[in-house]
Amino acid sequence: MHQLIIYGAPGVGKGTQAELIAIKLNLEHISTGAILRKSAEEGNELGLLAKEIMDRGDLVTDDIMNGIVKDSLKKINKDGFILDGYPRTLAQAEALSEIFTELGFKDIKVINLIADENEIITRLLKRGRSDDNKETIANRFKVYVESTSPVKEFFAKQNIIKDINGVGEIEDINKIILEAIK
Ligand code: AMP
């Protein structure tokens, strides 16, 4: 069973790569951002709360995110999962470790997708999501550096994270990722 996490800065291509990997390996693609955006569209309680936070580029609380991910992981009925956009804080990473232990997932692999910040900002401005304007992007990077980067160290200490160059053709990058997680 594949137990994957894709990590990296906003706009580095996590969603695109995770989706391709999920199709090719028959995995559940768990994108926390996509789950929040869907809730926002539906206008439910979570969505109303999340929309404002997302539009600012801030983070939804750890408790909410941990609950969403735990529920999703309990329901896996494919050949595994790929987590995209989570964990985003050290507290989420620690909670996830407990969730993995509880659910018996022991063979976790983390892909660290890397790209230059200027390249990423150009990509984000082209994408045009409601949180892809200059101010929000700047805040998302700040949040990434301040809150999310410790997550990389957390995985590095466990020796389960692999760096992959995220600049290039989508299919080429995808092949490299698939090779790296074999
Ligand atoms: P993404 O699609 O991964 O770029 O996420 C879009 C937005 O959803 C982020 O800027 C956050 O506001 C929120 N979000 C997604 N995942 C998380 C998470 N793991 N923790 C907190 N907020 C999140």
Side-chain angles (χ1 to χ4, degrees):
M1 187 190 194
H2 290 283
Q3 301 162 17
L4 306 175
I5 298 171
I6 190 156
Y7 172 90
V12 74
K14 296 190 294 293
T16 305
Q17 291 299 333
E19 199 178 319
L20 273 177
I21 293 165
I23 293 168
K24 289 183 183 173
L25 300 180
N26 188 37
L27 310 181
E28 203 74 60
H29 177 193
I30 306 173
S31 159
T32 48
I35 293 170
L36 296 174
R37 278 187 293 279
K38 187 161 172 268
S39 301
E41 263 169 41
E42 288 169 2
N44 60 33
E45 201 182 334
L46 168 67
L48 292 176
L49 170 106
K51 173 97 177 83
E52 235 180 89
I53 298 173
M54 286 191 286
D55 284 344
R56 286 200 306 265
D58 288 332
L59 296 180
V60 174
T61 63
D62 292 331
D63 281 351
I64 292 178
M65 299 316 300
N66 296 338
I68 290 174
V69 169
K70 189 171 180 179
D71 286 346
S72 305
L73 286 173
K74 276 188 193 160
K75 287 191 289 211
I76 304 290
N77 56 13
K78 294 192 177 175
D79 297 333
F81 59 83
I82 180 159
L83 277 169
D84 159 17
Y86 177 97
R88 246 179 167 97
T89 64
L90 195 54
Q92 290 180 13
E94 285 164 352
L96 182 62
S97 283
E98 285 182 22
I99 296 169
F100 282 155
T101 304
E102 201 180 315
L103 300 178
F105 298 140
K106 294 182 195 139
D107 188 22
I108 317 299
K109 289 177 185 153
V110 186
I111 301 145
N112 178 26
L113 213 49
I114 300 169
D116 171 75
E117 190 170 322
N118 290 325
E119 160 91 22
I120 293 178
I121 291 173
T122 309
R123 282 191 203 176
L124 283 172
L125 288 171
K126 275 192 204 148
R127 192 167 68 175
R129 231 164 60 183
S130 74
D131 58 347
D132 286 340
N133 57 75
K134 275 203 169 124
E135 296 73 45
T136 305
I137 290 172
N139 191 40
R140 278 157 66 204
F141 269 93
K142 184 166 165 272
V143 169
Y144 173 71
V145 172
E146 287 175 3
S147 305
T148 307
S149 52
V151 172
K152 190 168 66 186
E153 277 313 302
F154 180 85
F155 291 132
K157 276 189 199 141
Q158 301 170 47
N159 228 345
I160 56 170
I161 188 163
K162 278 197 184 152
D163 292 353
I164 304 275
N165 178 9
V167 183
E169 293 297 324
I170 290 172
E171 268 301 331
D172 294 342
I173 298 166
N174 199 249
K175 281 195 193 113
I176 295 168
I177 295 176
L178 288 171
E179 198 54 41
I181 58 175
K182 263 190 185 158

